Structures are given as structure tokens and as C-alpha cells.
Amino acid sequence: MFDRIFADYLLKSGKLSQEQLDLVFETQEKKRARLGVIAVSEQLMTVEQAEEVNQLQAVCDKRFGDIAVEKGYLTDEQVSRLLSLQGNLYLSFVQSIVDNELLSMQEINEAQEQYQRENSFTLMDMENLKSCDIDRTTPIFLHGQSELLTALCGVMARTTVRLVDYHAYMKKPYIAKEVPIQYFSMQELFGDHNIITAITGPADAMKQAAIGFAGEQYISDEEDALDAICELINCVNGLFATDMSLRNIEVDMKAPYYQAKEGILTADSLLCLPIIVSGKEITLITAIDTEYSIK
């Protein structure tokens, strides 16, 4: 995740062009593969086993390696070896910049320090970001938010990376009382807490996210896209509700719904988390225990 966040910073600060970044990403992709692909390549798992684990990630908020171990397909030692073969996304990104002779390591380090200063991140924050571990990254961006909101956004981030776009990344969240909505999918949770989870964005961004989640063959128009995003939200909320039940917090879900027209979502406090999926921005909107309206 941080490889794409830092790439966005390098682009906006004029240190690299989009054409140069495309070259870096192409080089990076050649050097890194998903854990399941490596496991099959190393003949530690069959294609069928890897696909089964990938599908289970839609209903289990767990890492590929953790599920594979639980299923008996891999051992802890084998997972560790596969992770070492896979490498760190940020390090492979940096290596690709250097290999293509676009920036020196000194220039990269200076840009990294500048990014740290501009965002008031600590050294520990930067170490967590560079780990590219979503569980270590999400709390940094959601510092000061409630435990429930941080947990929900964490599930959304993990699920988006696992099931929609491996290179998805979040931007800095913000709080608003009114949020303009375009194409819009939403679901309510009720019980010990009343929670809304919504995703909005331009038609092309919502469609791209829907294709990443459901597959291009199932998305023929805007309604198909919005319906697929509803299923994504339902998947996220299902994982979140399961996690909450383990903390003795009970929530249930209403049926998700969507609208394909502009409007305004209003509440006392809406947490808005922009997420970049396949190069396009959608926004996750959440709120807990507050009245809302859609105009």
C-alpha cells in the first residue's frame, strides 16, 4: 500500500512523471507475485487449493497464509519462506526506481524525509508504513478515530486489497457533515450500535471497483456496478460483524441499496476515507450512532 501512496507523493511533488511511474510499476510487477502464485509455482499448493483460499478470504478476514495453514495446505515455516520470496512491496518499488535510474537512493531518502515532515509522521509511523502491512498502516491514517470506525475501515482496506485491487491504497481521511454523493451504494447495521457504510464515486470509478470485485463479465451497466459494490459492502460488513461478535458487540445488517443519481448525505459526523482503486478514487463513508439523511 505505501508503495502506491509514496508514488502518488513523488508524482505530485514533481519528482517523477506518470510515464516514469508506469515504468517503475511494470518493473516492480515482474519481480513480485501474489503469495498463492508463488505457492503454486513452488509446488507447495495446487491451483485448486490456492483458488479455494482466495475465495475463503471473501468470508474470512484473514491473510492468505493464515487460511492456508488452518486448512493444512501449508506450514508456518512454508508461509515464512513464501513471504521472504515475495518480498516487501515498498522495497521492490524503491529498487525499481533505482534500477531504472530515475532517482538515486539519496534522492529517494530525501523525498521520504520530506514526506514524513509534511505529514508529521514519527519514525515509528514511517516504519509501519514501509512495512506495507495494512493492519499497521490503517491506524496511522485513522489516528484519533473511534476503535469501531478504525476497525471497520481496516476491514474495508484489507478486503479491497484482497478482493478488488492488490494495489489499492487509501488517502488521508476527513470528517464532514455533508458529503456530495454521485453513484452511491450503502448498507445500515443495527444492534448495539447503528452504523452506516457507504461507497460513492464517479460512474467510471465505481465501475472499475465493481469489475475488480465481481469480474468484467458480470458488469455490463451502471446498475450492475452499483449492485456489485453493494455486495462488496455486504461482504465487508459481514466480516466486521463477525469480528465485533468476538468482542461481545452485536450488530446485524439490513439489505444494502444503491442510487444512480446525485445527492447529499448529511449527518452530524461522517468519516470519509478516499480509496484509490485501479487508479480511480472512490470514497468510503462511515458513521456510528448518528442520524443521517439523503437529499
Side-chain angles (χ1 to χ4, degrees):
M1 181 176 284
F2 185 61
D3 59 326
R4 299 297 162 133
I5 295 172
F6 193 57
D8 186 59
Y9 175 76
L10 293 175
L11 177 65
K12 290 180 177 177
S13 60
K15 292 177 173 59
L16 290 178
S17 68
Q18 185 60 60
E19 183 179 2
Q20 289 172 321
L21 282 175
D22 289 341
L23 175 62
V24 171
F25 293 151
E26 181 181 353
T27 304
Q28 183 187 21
E29 284 299 299
K30 292 177 180 178
K31 296 181 178 180
R32 183 183 172 88
R34 287 177 178 268
L35 207 64
V37 173
I38 301 174
V40 172
S41 176
E42 293 292 305
Q43 299 184 342
L44 296 176
M45 294 177 66
T46 66
V47 172
E48 292 74 19
Q49 288 171 339
E51 290 178 348
E52 178 189 358
V53 173
N54 286 329
Q55 292 170 359
L56 285 172
Q57 286 189 299
V59 294
C60 300
D61 185 20
K62 296 179 180 179
R63 299 173 182 176
F64 183 97
D66 294 335
I67 297 175
V69 170
E70 288 181 3
K71 297 290 293 183
Y73 299 150
L74 296 174
T75 65
D76 289 327
E77 291 75 16
Q78 288 172 327
V79 170
S80 296
R81 176 170 173 269
L82 292 174
L83 288 171
S84 68
L85 291 173
Q86 186 182 48
N88 175 277
L89 269 174
Y90 178 68
L91 294 180
S92 67
F93 171 71
V94 169
Q95 187 65 54
S96 297
I97 294 176
V98 174
D99 288 348
N100 285 289
E101 300 181 346
L102 299 174
L103 294 172
S104 67
M105 276 306 305
Q106 181 177 345
E107 289 172 318
I108 293 171
N109 288 335
E110 289 172 353
Q112 181 184 292
E113 290 171 1
Q114 185 178 351
Y115 172 84
Q116 179 183 347
R117 287 194 301 271
E118 290 179 8
N119 289 277
S120 300
F121 288 145
T122 66
L123 288 174
M124 182 59 71
D125 288 337
M126 292 303 297
E127 288 304 309
N128 287 330
L129 287 169
K130 289 188 290 183
S131 74
C132 290
D133 185 328
I134 296 175
D135 292 332
R136 294 169 63 181
T137 300
T138 304
I140 296 172
F141 284 90
L142 294 167
H143 179 72
Q145 299 302 320
S146 72
E147 183 179 352
L148 284 181
L149 281 177
T150 300
L152 178 55
C153 290
V155 175
M156 175 60 76
R158 289 191 295 272
T159 304
T160 301
V161 169
R162 291 167 180 168
L163 303 182
V164 181
D165 175 19
Y166 186 57
H167 291 297
Y169 65 93
M170 66 182 71
K171 298 171 70 175
K172 186 173 294 186
Y174 58 93
I175 301 294
K177 291 189 175 183
E178 290 188 351
V179 179
I181 54 176
Q182 301 173 51
Y183 291 84
F184 179 77
S185 299
M186 179 173 148
Q187 186 173 41
E188 297 179 60
L189 291 85
F190 63 94
D192 292 341
H193 293 278
N194 295 317
I195 304 170
I196 60 170
T197 306
I199 294 177
T200 187
D204 60 340
M206 295 290 276
K207 184 176 182 180
Q208 197 65 47
I211 289 173
F213 177 66
E216 188 170 9
Q217 67 272 27
Y218 298 108
I219 308 298
S220 58
D221 55 31
E222 293 165 355
E223 290 200 356
D224 287 342
L226 290 171
D227 188 54
I229 297 298
C230 281
E231 288 303 314
L232 171 62
I233 293 174
N234 191 66
C235 176
V236 168
N237 282 334
L239 295 170
F240 173 72
T242 299
D243 180 43
M244 290 301 101
S245 68
L246 299 176
R247 308 186 196 186
N248 295 317
I249 298 174
E250 298 300 325
V251 290
D252 204 348
M253 300 177 291
K254 296 183 180 181
Y257 63 93
Y258 62 81
Q259 70 176 42
K261 62 180 181 179
E262 294 184 354
I264 297 178
L265 176 62
T266 303
D268 288 339
S269 179
L270 297 165
L271 174 65
C272 304
L273 179 65
I275 301 176
I276 308 301
V277 177
S278 299
K280 300 184 182 297
E281 182 173 312
I282 58 175
T283 302
L284 168 67
I285 307 172
T286 61
I288 294 182
D289 297 329
T290 184
E291 296 291 329
Y292 77 92
S293 64
I294 300 176
K295 302 176 183 179

